[in-house]
Amino acid sequence: QVQLAESGGGWVQAGGSLRLSCVASGTGFRFDAMGWYRRRPGKRREVVARITTSGTTDYADSVKGRFTISRDNAKNTVYLQMNSLKPEDTADYYCNAHVVSGRYDFGDYWGQGTQVTVSS
């Protein structure tokens, strides 16, 4: 069974920083591309940042230069360092992982989400 467990959300003032973590678990599974998405109030879920197993990253334009995604493959963990936070970054943040096992592709799995609130 695959599980993604996020942590690190919370409340912060504008200009502050938070670091999100997501640990992926599941015996016999491998986690390929991983990423962070968010759903802001009243909006659809959107990609924030993604990272491949080799470390290639891409970011939404709105977070470039402020957020950094990284991963520790040995720990099946992906991080999102968020700096210079803005009120518009307020959202529920979700971890995502593309799961495979052997030659089988199980598609994308999602965490439960962690809330980030940025006050002005």
Side-chain angles (χ1 to χ4, degrees):
Q1 183 177 357
V2 172
Q3 290 187 322
L4 302 180
E6 302 114 328
S7 61
W11 177 91
V12 66
Q13 287 189 320
S17 299
L18 284 173
R19 188 191 196 208
L20 306 183
S21 300
C22 172
V23 179
S25 60
T27 302
F29 294 97
R30 191 176 77 250
F31 306 98
D32 282 353
M34 300 183 76
W36 290 95
Y37 290 68
R38 68 184 180 188
R39 180 181 287 120
R40 293 184 281 181
K43 296 186 179 293
R44 301 181 66 177
R45 187 163 57 189
E46 59 184 357
V47 63
V48 175
R50 295 180 297 185
I51 185 168
T52 66
T53 52
S54 60
T56 301
T57 59
D58 67 271
Y59 296 91
D61 287 343
S62 59
V63 306
K64 283 181 181 176
R66 299 188 298 121
F67 291 10
T68 302
I69 189 170
S70 61
R71 66 187 290 169
D72 184 333
N73 291 329
K75 297 180 179 179
N76 289 329
T77 301
V78 62
Y79 306 96
L80 186 68
Q81 178 65 44
M82 305 185 293
N83 298 328
S84 302
L85 282 160
K86 303 176 181 179
E88 52 263 43
D89 294 317
T90 295
D92 291 323
Y93 284 73
Y94 298 88
C95 177
N96 168 275
H98 192 84
V99 180
V100 298
S101 179
R103 62 177 179 167
Y104 296 103
D105 188 326
F106 291 88
D108 287 347
Y109 279 71
W110 297 89
Q112 293 296 308
T114 185
Q115 190 172 51
V116 171
T117 302
V118 184
S119 66
S120 57

